[in-house]
Every structure is written in C-alpha cells, then in structure tokens.
C-alpha cells in the first residue's frame, strides 16, 4: 500500500486500544489525518486522548457507528480513504447482563461502516472507483471468537470459530460480515484477532486495573472461580504495531492473529501485581492477603492462546515488550492514575 496523504476514519479511539493507537499512528505517519468517531459510552474517555487533542491532523466526532446518516456524512465530508475499526462493546461480563447492545454495536455498527465504505469507494462488486483503489477496511477483532482451548494447542487463523459469550458471538458475527464483503464485493478488508491486551488507559472494569485499584484501596481483590483461567497477554503497544503492519502490508481478505506468547493464569497475574505493589507501595501486610475468590463468570472460557506465526513470518511482527517489563510500565501508569 502506498503511503500518501489521506484521511482515515478510526472508530472507538476514546477507548483503551484506540487511544494507545492514535498517538502512535499520528506520530509515525505525518501524511495521515485521523477522524475518530466515538460515541463516548461509559468505556470512552477523552482524557485518554489529551495528548493529541490539539493536533491539527486529528479530529474527534462524537457519534454512533450505527448512525447511517452520520457515517455517510463523515465519508463525504472528510473524503475517507481508509477505516480502522476499533469501536465495540468489549466487556464479556456486560455482555452476559446486557447482550442486546453488543449485537447492535458490534454487528449492526460494523455492517453500517462496511456498507458505507463499500458504496463510497466502489462502483460495483470488484470494481473500485479510480481514486479509491487503495482504500482498506481494517476490522479489529479478538481471539475470543475461537472459543476455548484445553490444556494444549493454540488458536491459528484456521481454527474454526466457536464463540461462547454474547460478546465473542457478536465479534465473530462482525468478522463474518467483513469476510463476506471481501468475498462478495471484492472489498479490500483485513481482520486482526488479538489476545488479551494490557497497558495504560484500560477501563477500570477490566482485570488488571481492577486488581491494582482494589489493592491500593485495601479492598478485596476479586478473582473468578479458581483463578486458573489462562489468557495470553499482549502489551497494548505491541498490538498497535501489529495493526499498523497489517493495515499497510497485510494481504486483502486475510485474517491475522496477534498474540504475545505470554500465557498466564489469572492467579499468576494477581500474584505478580501484588509482588510489585509490595515493593513499590508497601503496606504492613502483603497485598496478596486481599485476594478473594468469587463466583465464576457464567460460561467462563478456560484458556485462550494465540499462534502468531503467520504475522511473524509473513509480515515480520515481533512483540517488543515481555510481560515482566510491560506489567511494570502498566503498574506505574495506574499508580499515577490512582494518585499514588
Ligand atoms: P473499549 O471498551 O476500551 O473501547 C471501546 C470504545 O468504543 C469506547 O471508546 C466506546 O465509547 C466506543 N464505542 C462503543 N460503542 C460505540 C458506538 N456504538 N459507536 C461509536 N463508538 C462506540 O475497548 P478496547 O479494549 O479498546 O477494544 C477495542 C477493540 O479491540 C474492540 O473491537 C475489541 O473487541 C477489540 N479487542 C480488545 C481486546 C482487549 O484486550 N481489550 C483484545 C482483542 C480485541
């Protein structure tokens, strides 16, 4: 893909991953303007984007990705020539309590963006308008679409989809719609499926911020079930770098898994964080004494682990951060946020 001046629509970038992505991308590509469409749900926070607020190449629009008129207006107004789509309802626990908004945002919202892009960029199936031949739609998705693993094995791009929660089912559905726009209309799409991210700017509701916040307040640190569920943790900036590579160099119609080869049980995560907090902000008793097991999440997937060989071999991606260094950076950030 040629790197030239253009405006890219990014969605949901007041959230965790997008707000790490935007400053990185603006700095790396002085040719790009970014328009960020975000509804500012409970999960979006413009504080996350303070550092780019004044950047003349960045524009924030508050609005819903399901709003067809608004999305059409933005394509016309800014002559959008690329989409990187982060916006989603993203928390599994919320999807168990309130699945309908997940279907609406993740499925209908993705469809709306895709369909507007198709009509704006293409004359008809497989024929792009001259000016828009390089335009690409990049859909950000999750490893949770693959379901759960036993003690061994890894998710590859060929693993059959088997989503188990309303969240992962809605993401899987959106992946399928993206896939269909490539196969039916010849749209230049790519999908990345990433494992659990951690790092600065993550919403308080997620596991790592929850552990740190409760520990610092001296509250019980809630851990689901037996704490032995395994996730494959990736530092958020490594995810952003993977997205950058796939957006620019990935093959149209392809799917790429992104993951850090950093499998950890929730118990290992909480133990590591408490050990670091015991060193940085010691109290009379170890933070580990606050760990409290609570009733397991309904339908809780046991293990996720990503095989990122395709991204590594075809596009040369490598995670720069390992868990040891990444978790320290992360804790430092939350210590500041929580005023310690
Ligand atoms: P997040 O919940 O932190 O942020 C989501 C953002 O989307 C928020 O700013 C919110 O305001 C916005 N949004 C929600 N509904 C919207 C709507 N209808 N219209 C416009 N904006 C809307 O999520 P995140 O953790 O940054 O995840 C971003 C993407 O990456 C999601 O698609 C998610 O499925 C995917 N993903 C996340 C992880 C992870 O570990 N966090 C891992 C793999 C994939």
């Amino acid at each position: 893909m040629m790197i030239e001046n253009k405006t890219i629509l990014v969605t949901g970038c007041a959230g965790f991953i997008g707000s790490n992505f935007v400053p990185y991308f603006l700095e790396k590509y002085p040719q790009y303007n970014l328009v960020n469409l975000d509804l500012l749900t409970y999960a979006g926070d413009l504080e996350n984007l303070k550092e780019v607020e004044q950047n003349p190449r960045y524009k924030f629009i508050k609005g819903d990705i399901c709003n067809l008129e608004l999305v059409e207006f933005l394509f016309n107004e800014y002559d959008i020539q690329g989409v990187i789509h982060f916006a989603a309802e993203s928390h599994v626990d919320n999807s168990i309590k309130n699945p309908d908004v997940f279907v609406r945002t993740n499925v209908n919202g993705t469809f709306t963006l895709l369909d507007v892009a198709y009509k704006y960029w293409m004359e008809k199936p497989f024929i792009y308008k001259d000016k828009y031949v390089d335009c690409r739609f990049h859909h950000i998705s999750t490893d949770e679409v693959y379901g759960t693993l036993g003690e061994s094995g890894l998710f590859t791009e060929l693993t059959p989809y088997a989503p188990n929660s309303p969240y992962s089912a809605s993401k899987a559905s959106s992946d399928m719609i993206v896939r269909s726009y490539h196969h039916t209309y010849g749209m230049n799409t790519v999908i990345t499926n990433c494992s659990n991210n951690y790092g600065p700017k993550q919403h308080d509701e997620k596991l790592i911020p929850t552990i740190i916040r409760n520990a610092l307040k001296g509250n019980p640190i809630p851990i689901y079930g037996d704490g032995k569920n395994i996730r494959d943790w990736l530092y958020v900036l490594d995810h952003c770098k993977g997205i950058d590579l796939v957006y620019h160099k990935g093959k149209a119609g392809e799917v790429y898994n992104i993951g850090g080869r950093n499998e950890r049980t929730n118990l290992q995560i909480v133990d590591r964080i408490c050990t670091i907090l015991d060193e940085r902000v010691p109290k009379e008793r170890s933070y580990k004494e606050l760990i409290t097991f609570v009733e397991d999440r309904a339908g809780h997937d046991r293990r996720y682990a990503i095989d990122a060989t395709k991204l590594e071999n075809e596009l040369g991606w490598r995670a720069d951060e390992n868990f040891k260094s990444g978790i320290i950076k992360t804790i430092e950030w939350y210590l500041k946020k929580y005023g310690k």
Side-chain angles (χ1 to χ4, degrees), residues 151-198:
E151 279 178 17
S152 61
L154 299 169
F155 297 133
T156 75
E157 291 79 0
L158 299 176
T159 303
Y161 274 31
N164 288 323
S165 71
Y167 164 62
S168 53
S170 66
K171 292 298 290 186
S173 309
S174 63
D175 293 7
M176 294 297 144
I177 298 170
V178 174
R179 177 189 157 90
S180 78
Y181 269 66
H182 175 72
H183 285 271
T184 302
Y185 304 114
M187 231 176 121
N188 178 354
T189 63
V190 280
I191 301 175
T192 44
N193 294 87
C194 190
S195 59
N196 273 45
N197 285 213
Y198 70 99

Side-chain angles (χ1 to χ4, degrees), residues 86-101:
F86 295 88
E89 286 293 334
S90 72
H91 191 41
V92 176
D93 287 345
N94 295 342
S95 85
I96 297 168
K97 289 186 213 110
N98 190 17
D100 54 357
V101 68

Side-chain angles (χ1 to χ4, degrees), residues 11-18 37-45 63-66 85-91 104-106 139-143 167 171 192-198 201-203 205-206 239:
T11 66
C13 288
F16 167 43
I17 301 173
L37 173 61
D38 192 304
L39 186 57
L40 296 183
T41 67
Y42 79 94
D45 186 351
D64 192 336
I65 56 167
C66 301
H85 172 36
F86 295 88
E89 286 293 334
S90 72
H91 191 41
R104 186 177 172 277
T105 291
N106 300 358
H139 179 56
I140 310 299
S141 192
T142 164
D143 62 352
Y167 164 62
K171 292 298 290 186
T192 44
N193 294 87
C194 190
S195 59
N196 273 45
N197 285 213
Y198 70 99
K201 304 180 181 176
Q202 191 164 26
H203 193 274
E205 69 190 352
K206 300 283 170 74
H239 184 190

